């Protein structure tokens, strides 16, 4: 075989090889672009509803691929489980809150009841009557009697006049006690009787203490019999000649009454 024939043969062989390669490439591209026949047959056998579901799933996957996100197929089931668990937790929390509120309400009610019982035990009863006896508010002797039916002589003033109280002579600084269970109605300063405490004994009765110093109680206090209200002060100028004393008066429904009637 001559060189010319060898060259022609080599050219023909190369051309045939190139043609075969091109055919193979074309066949490969066509095959990869076709749907799988067996897969198509399987889809054809799926009921319409399943095909729709499969199509929806495929569409969702395609949408996820386009948006760059991918969710697992069981996300819907997981969401439902989470919702159920959330509802159960909410129900349990509501029950716990209701139980806590019920316990708080019962505790408050118990505290109120205890407070009422304590108040009833600690606070004295204000129930003064004609049969009630007073304690002496201070140690001493009566130096000027109660007199509302006739006048009596006031030494310092050098006059005769009615006296709605008794004056009990006693040293300065002597403690003055509540003569009965009482509520403090007022604490006032008077020109005649100095610092003066008015108390409510109950049932329309009141007791008044004058010529006091270093008061130990406050308005609206409810105190038992024997509580120190204050101490005897220097007498006012209206009683300069009588000396230091406690001014002690009583009223019933606003009318003056003799305190001595109720003293032992």
């Amino acid at each position: 075989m001559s060189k010319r024939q060898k060259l022609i043969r080599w050219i023909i062989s190369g051309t045939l090889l190139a043609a075969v390669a091109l055919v193979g490439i074309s066949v490969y591209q066509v095959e990869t672009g076709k749907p799988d026949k067996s897969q198509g047959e399987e889809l054809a056998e799926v009921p319409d509803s399943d095909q729709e579901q499969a199509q929806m799933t495929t569409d969702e996957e395609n949408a996820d691929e386009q948006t760059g996100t991918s969710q697992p197929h069981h996300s819907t089931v997981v969401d439902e489980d989470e919702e159920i668990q959330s509802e159960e937790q909410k129900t349990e929390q509501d029950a716990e809150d209701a139980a806590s509120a019920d316990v708080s309400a019962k505790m408050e009610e118990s505290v109120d009841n205890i407070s009422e019982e304590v108040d009833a035990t600690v606070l004295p009863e204000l129930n003064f009557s004609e049969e009630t006896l007073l304690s002496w508010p201070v140690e001493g002797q009566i130096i000027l009697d109660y007199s509302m039916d006739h006048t009596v002589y006031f030494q310092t003033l050098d006059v005769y006049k009615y006296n709605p109280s008794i004056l009990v002579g006693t040293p300065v600084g002597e403690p003055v006690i509540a003569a009965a269970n009482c509520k403090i109605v007022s604490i006032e300063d008077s020109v005649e009787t100095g610092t003066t405490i008015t108390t409510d004994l109950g049932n329309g009765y009141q007791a008044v203490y004058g010529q006091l110093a270093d008061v130990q109680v406050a308005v609206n206090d409810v105190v038992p019999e024997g509580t120190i209200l204050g101490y005897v002060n220097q007498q006012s100028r209206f009683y300069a000649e009588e000396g230091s004393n406690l001014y002690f008066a009583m009223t019933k429904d606003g009318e003056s009454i003799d305190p001595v009637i109720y003293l032992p």
Side-chain angles (χ1 to χ4, degrees), residues 8-26:
I8 293 172
R9 187 173 181 180
W10 181 83
I11 293 171
I12 293 172
S13 298
T15 302
L16 290 173
L17 289 173
V20 170
L22 289 174
V23 171
I25 293 171
S26 298

Side-chain angles (χ1 to χ4, degrees), residues 43-161:
L43 289 175
E45 295 176 357
V46 177
D48 293 341
S49 59
D50 292 343
Q51 290 181 356
E52 291 176 359
Q53 182 64 34
Q55 183 63 37
M56 290 175 63
T57 302
T58 303
D59 293 340
E60 289 176 357
E61 291 176 349
N62 292 336
D64 291 340
E65 290 178 357
Q66 291 176 1
T67 58
T69 61
S70 177
Q71 296 180 352
H73 298 306
H74 63 281
S75 61
T76 302
V77 177
V78 172
D79 290 343
E80 291 178 354
D81 290 342
E82 290 178 351
E83 289 180 0
I84 293 173
Q85 291 178 357
S86 177
E87 289 295 330
E88 291 177 350
Q89 292 175 354
K90 183 179 179 181
T91 302
E92 292 176 357
Q93 186 62 43
D94 291 343
E96 291 177 0
D97 292 343
S100 178
D102 185 52
V103 170
S104 298
K106 290 182 179 179
M107 289 179 65
E108 291 179 0
E109 183 179 357
S110 298
V111 170
D112 291 340
N113 292 336
I114 292 173
S115 298
E116 291 177 359
E117 292 176 0
V118 169
D119 290 341
T121 301
V122 174
L123 296 180
E125 182 181 8
L126 306 183
N127 190 26
F128 198 88
S129 68
E130 292 183 355
E131 289 74 30
T132 305
L133 282 179
L134 297 169
S135 295
W136 279 90
V138 70
E139 292 184 4
Q141 300 293 323
I142 296 176
I143 58 177
L144 193 61
D145 290 322
Y146 170 89
S147 179
M148 291 300 289
D149 56 355
H150 62 277
T151 60
V152 293
Y153 181 67
F154 283 76
Q155 185 176 353
T156 300
L157 299 177
D158 192 23
V159 296
Y160 284 88
K161 66 173 188 172

Side-chain angles (χ1 to χ4, degrees), residues 5 16 37 81 83 89 95 104 106 147 160 172-173 188 193 209 212 222 229 246 250-251:
Q5 291 176 336
L16 290 173
K37 182 179 180 181
D81 290 342
E83 289 180 0
Q89 292 175 354
S104 298
K106 290 182 179 179
S147 179
Y160 284 88
V172 174
E188 299 174 337
T193 59
Y209 307 78
L212 298 179
V222 178
L229 303 177
L246 172 69
M250 287 187 67
T251 62

Side-chain angles (χ1 to χ4, degrees), residues 193-233:
T193 59
T195 300
T196 304
I197 296 177
T198 300
T199 65
D200 178 17
L201 309 181
N203 300 320
Y205 289 89
Q206 288 190 331
V208 181
Y209 307 78
Q211 310 274 13
L212 298 179
D214 194 15
V215 173
Q216 303 293 302
V217 293
V219 174
N220 293 326
D221 283 355
V222 178
V223 298
E225 181 178 347
T227 300
I228 294 178
L229 303 177
Y231 299 86
V232 175
N233 199 1

